[in-house]
Amino acid sequence: MKKSARDRTGRPENRPQPGRIEVPEERLDRQLRIPGWNQRALEEARIGVVGDDDLLASLFVLSSSALGLKDLVVIAPGLDGNLRGAAERLNPALRVRLVEGFYTHPVLEDLFTGCRAIVDLSRYGLANKLLLGKGLRDGTPVVRGFCYDGGDEQGVKIFTYVRGREWEELRELVSEACFPQDHFDDGVLDIIAAGIALEETKNVLMERKTSEDVVTYARSRLAPKGRGTRVCVAGAGALGNFVGLGLAFSGFRDVVFFDPEEVEVTNLNRQVFLAGAVGSNKAEALAGSLNGMFGMAYRGYGRSLERDTDISGYGVVFDCADNFETKIALSEKCREKGKILVSGGTGADTGQAIVYDPERKKETPAEVLGLYGIVEERGGGGRRGEGASCDYVPDPSVIMTNMIIAGVMVDSLRIVLDGKEAENVFYDGTSAKML
């Protein structure tokens, strides 16, 4: 039986929930470092969200909370209680006005009065047409995002409609089903779609250029294989948070996180499951959060995955580390032991997911990215010490790139386990196609 959006993460409604946590606004420091960033535009905006009976709207609310949005009007059958709870703990100023139901009549547009943008994540054509019509009439931008199953192909599509973009391509953004009904949904693809939709929403609010193309991530249909594989995740920061979430959505039950660092306030604009854990070890806190949400038995170890760490018991390693030396070490260890390695990295608006599959590829992520030359050129310096965190390397960072790349990383593993070759994926939020 299909679970509703209220309980899709699997935790019973009567399980105790953590209370409200005071989170200092300095948590936004890393995105405030981005040149031209306009946090006020985000905090003062009201956003309308139309969701469906799936996880996508809940993930969008969670990521919006991390970014610092404060005023959301949501029309959906419900929101996942665990994801909404995480959003409210992360951003105590968040106000979510949830109207439970479907967007099926023009009179409902009055609920979106004063909204700077509308995010349409629904999967029924009536809502899609009504919202595009509203955008045409009053000029409200509409960010349209959804997962799709097109026969042999599955993926996500995102498009930002602003008045003047009355293109033929709009037809492919309108769902075939006119009214709400059961539809394809995939938690990992939802992570990617929510990240891209929030990126476009941010651009609308900051009056930046949005993509003029239909942003698409697509791959062939997958069978749910290899869910018993033992998985090791090196790094429990922003990428690690969403890789862990994607693994849980996909049903991987044997997952171990390694990270020596402690949670800091400035991590909380993107490390969404660590609110309330400031001062605690990231790996232990992340494993505990995911276990509570999904009933898993994930483990977290407060140490680095080093060159001499035994990885022979793992089938897959995820590289979510934030320094080149560790990435090189993981590449070399996985080649030596013949292990699948999925390596990710992000900047403020770029990122990549690189796959080493010993049965199909010769080059490791370190070789693909030229990390040996980079480290040699700088003399091998710059590695963080045990327990150090982002205060030592205060690079600009936001949640969207981490969601998108982490989602692609987990999907890449699923592709490999299904016996197919996973392509390396490069993301650029400033380009027309993005992916």
Side-chain angles (χ1 to χ4, degrees):
M1 180 178 178
K2 183 180 177 182
K3 293 184 178 181
S4 73
R6 296 179 182 84
D7 62 358
R8 197 65 57 78
T9 51
R11 182 161 71 178
E13 285 293 316
N14 59 1
R15 189 170 295 183
Q17 300 284 326
R20 181 173 287 272
I21 300 166
E22 293 299 322
V23 180
E25 281 306 301
E26 66 183 280
R27 74 177 186 87
L28 301 175
D29 173 76
R30 293 300 177 258
Q31 63 200 47
L32 296 177
R33 295 174 181 270
I34 299 174
W37 188 265
N38 186 353
Q39 188 65 33
R40 177 175 291 183
L42 302 178
E43 295 178 351
E44 293 182 350
R46 176 179 297 168
I47 302 298
V49 181
V50 176
D52 213 320
D53 193 16
D54 53 35
L55 287 165
L56 185 48
S58 300
L59 286 165
F60 184 85
V61 168
L62 173 61
S63 55
S64 297
S65 170
L67 194 64
L69 274 69
K70 296 181 177 180
D71 191 357
L72 303 178
V73 181
V74 181
I75 301 177
L79 292 174
D80 180 273
N82 295 298
L83 297 179
R84 181 175 181 176
E88 292 172 342
R89 290 190 293 276
L90 198 63
N91 182 357
L94 177 68
R95 181 187 182 192
V96 178
R97 286 170 286 178
L98 173 62
V99 178
E100 293 193 358
F102 294 97
Y103 195 92
T104 55
H105 196 282
V107 72
L108 293 172
E109 73 176 45
D110 290 344
L111 294 171
F112 294 146
T113 299
C115 288
R116 282 275 289 111
I118 296 173
V119 181
D120 177 14
L121 308 174
S122 65
R123 289 300 310 276
Y124 49 101
L126 180 57
N128 308 152
K129 293 174 182 178
L130 288 173
L131 292 169
L132 288 171
K134 175 176 171 56
L136 175 63
R137 290 193 309 275
D138 63 19
T140 304
V142 178
V143 178
R144 172 86 177 106
F146 58 96
C147 301
Y148 71 90
D149 181 358
D152 292 334
E153 182 179 275
Q154 297 172 335
V156 304
K157 291 185 179 183
I158 311 290
F159 181 74
T160 301
Y161 170 77
V162 294
R163 193 156 52 190
R165 291 184 179 176
E166 287 74 47
W167 300 341
E168 186 68 22
E169 286 86 344
L170 288 177
R171 293 179 182 272
E172 68 180 273
L173 304 177
V174 176
S175 300
E176 292 184 7
C178 186
F179 299 105
Q181 62 179 29
D182 287 346
H183 57 272
F184 168 75
D185 187 46
D186 182 284
V188 174
L189 296 179
D190 284 338
I191 293 173
I192 300 171
I196 299 173
L198 185 59
E199 176 69 22
E200 288 288 85
T201 303
K202 177 265 294 181
N203 289 336
V204 168
L205 298 180
M206 292 188 182
E207 299 183 348
R208 297 182 175 183
K209 185 178 180 181
T210 57
S211 176
E212 295 186 357
D213 290 341
V214 177
V215 180
T216 303
Y217 170 80
R219 42 82 174 151
S220 60
R221 179 191 292 273
L222 301 178
K225 297 179 180 178
R227 299 311 188 254
T229 303
R230 294 193 71 204
V231 178
C232 169
V233 182
L239 277 177
N241 269 239
F242 284 103
V243 163
L245 181 64
L247 290 170
F249 280 157
S250 300
F252 289 89
R253 304 194 67 83
D254 193 349
V255 179
V256 176
F257 298 93
F258 287 87
D259 199 312
E261 298 179 357
E262 294 181 352
V263 181
E264 299 178 359
V265 170
T266 54
N267 301 144
L268 300 181
N269 74 322
R270 57 207 186 279
Q271 298 175 23
V272 294
F273 299 118
L274 303 184
V278 172
S280 301
N281 174 260
K282 288 184 179 181
E284 295 172 358
L286 177 58
S289 293
L290 294 173
N291 289 343
M293 291 173 64
F294 293 93
M296 298 295 192
Y298 292 173
R299 288 158 290 158
Y301 296 109
R303 60 180 185 268
S304 298
L305 203 160
E306 303 286 357
R307 289 181 183 273
D308 59 353
T309 303
D310 182 14
I311 65 169
S312 59
Y314 301 103
V316 176
V317 176
F318 277 91
D319 168 18
C320 301
D322 55 7
N323 65 81
F324 294 155
E325 291 80 4
T326 298
K327 290 182 177 296
I328 290 173
L330 291 174
S331 283
E332 292 176 349
K333 286 181 70 68
C334 289
R335 168 179 278 170
E336 175 188 350
K337 300 295 184 180
K339 302 295 182 181
I340 298 168
L341 173 63
V342 185
S343 178
T346 63
D349 49 28
T350 59
Q352 71 281 333
I354 309 296
V355 180
Y356 172 67
D357 179 357
E359 294 187 1
R360 293 179 176 83
K361 294 186 177 182
K362 294 182 178 180
E363 283 192 309
T364 66
E367 292 169 329
V368 171
L369 297 172
L371 298 188
Y372 292 97
I374 295 173
V375 171
E376 182 179 357
E377 183 176 333
R378 72 182 189 192
R383 185 172 186 174
R384 301 180 190 178
E386 290 285 314
S389 190
C390 294
D391 283 342
Y392 295 89
V393 186
D395 297 323
S397 187
V398 291
I399 189 170
M400 293 84 76
T401 50
N402 287 286
M403 293 180 72
I404 296 163
I405 294 302
V408 171
M409 290 170 71
V410 176
D411 205 43
S412 296
L413 171 60
R414 301 192 302 178
I415 292 170
V416 171
L417 293 178
D418 194 37
K420 301 179 176 68
E421 181 172 351
E423 300 292 334
N424 296 331
V425 175
F426 295 86
Y427 168 78
D428 182 354
T430 65
S431 70
K433 293 186 179 298
M434 294 193 182
L435 286 167

